[in-house]
Amino acid sequence: MSYFKLYPNISTLHIFNIDFRDSPWNCYFCALLRANYKHTSVLTQRYFIQLSYKGTNYHGWQVQPNAITVQEVLNKALSTILNQEVNVVGCGRTDTGVHASDFMAHFDLNEARDVEAEKLVFRLNRFLPYDIAVKSMFPVHSEAHTRFDALARTYQYFITKDKNPFRSESHWNMTHQLDVAKMNEAAKLLFNYEDFTSFSKLHTDSKTNICKIYKAEWEDRGDELVFTVSADRFLRNMVRAIVGTLIEVGRGKLDLAGFCQVIESQNRSNAGTSVPGHGLFLCAIEYPKGLKKEI
């Protein structure tokens, strides 16, 4: 095909500079090229899908060999209902046991398909297991991306002060007395930094450990503690490592100066132990206006 030169009106075809304009071969080659052009120019429509899931039974979001994940289950559901292979792309990756009360993913479909979002959401929720729920689905512009277009993400970590069987899969049971005021003082220090290597899982594929934190605070709700943190992006294991280190502050094992030294050392071994994943929720993702496409 590299020897072909096709003119705009596709009526003149040259092979090795030989003019086939008046040759019977012209019809054959033009038809061949038209078919190839038609095949390679199939239009697609991209959709954002909003969902929530309880991560207890899953090895995180991303597809893994020999382990069940949320992405795998959602791919299978969409592919079965739509009768074509569908691969969703998530707004991020949650680890084993981590939950999401608000999660966004996107996928592409042939634009010629007549897809009614509300009906598809209904069918998905009938098909999916009890611990994955689809909230909404809507068309977006072709270059919209749930991961790269996100402006901010918000996580919450839940700690229950008392043993509670109804919170065993959504809260970490912490019986130690904690100084919440001191933990909030330490949390405010996070705003002074952008390199959070000390809170990142080692040997990841991340190209930078620079993040901008917008919010970090503890709330005492009586029988539970909730830590809320928002940032433009998060590193692998970052929230759980931050919480574990703030717990050290709350227990009096680490002072504010020491907390700063942990961050500045850019050494994961100096930070606190990562808290269990089952107390962590991805709860909000912020996107710029104008992503939604009216069709």
Side-chain angles (χ1 to χ4, degrees), residues 83-116:
N83 197 30
Q84 69 175 78
E85 183 177 357
V86 177
N87 292 295
V88 296
V89 177
C91 61
R93 294 183 291 187
T94 55
D95 293 330
T96 299
V98 175
H99 317 287
S101 55
D102 192 24
F103 191 94
M104 298 294 291
H106 72 255
F107 61 93
D108 296 329
L109 291 179
N110 188 327
E111 195 172 34
R113 291 200 60 142
D114 184 16
V115 176
E116 294 186 43

Side-chain angles (χ1 to χ4, degrees), residues 27-85:
C27 295
Y28 171 77
F29 283 115
C30 287
L32 181 65
L33 288 177
R34 287 192 184 100
N36 183 66
Y37 175 77
K38 182 178 180 180
H39 176 73
T40 58
S41 61
V42 174
L43 298 176
T44 59
Q45 174 60 57
R46 177 159 293 182
Y47 291 88
F48 271 26
I49 184 168
Q50 183 183 27
L51 61 145
S52 60
Y53 56 84
K54 181 182 178 184
T56 305
N57 297 323
Y58 301 97
H59 290 261
W61 159 261
Q62 189 167 332
V63 170
Q64 299 181 33
N66 305 317
I68 186 170
T69 66
V70 178
Q71 186 182 31
E72 175 189 349
V73 173
L74 186 57
N75 282 345
K76 182 179 179 181
L78 283 165
S79 299
T80 301
I81 293 173
L82 296 171
N83 197 30
Q84 69 175 78
E85 183 177 357

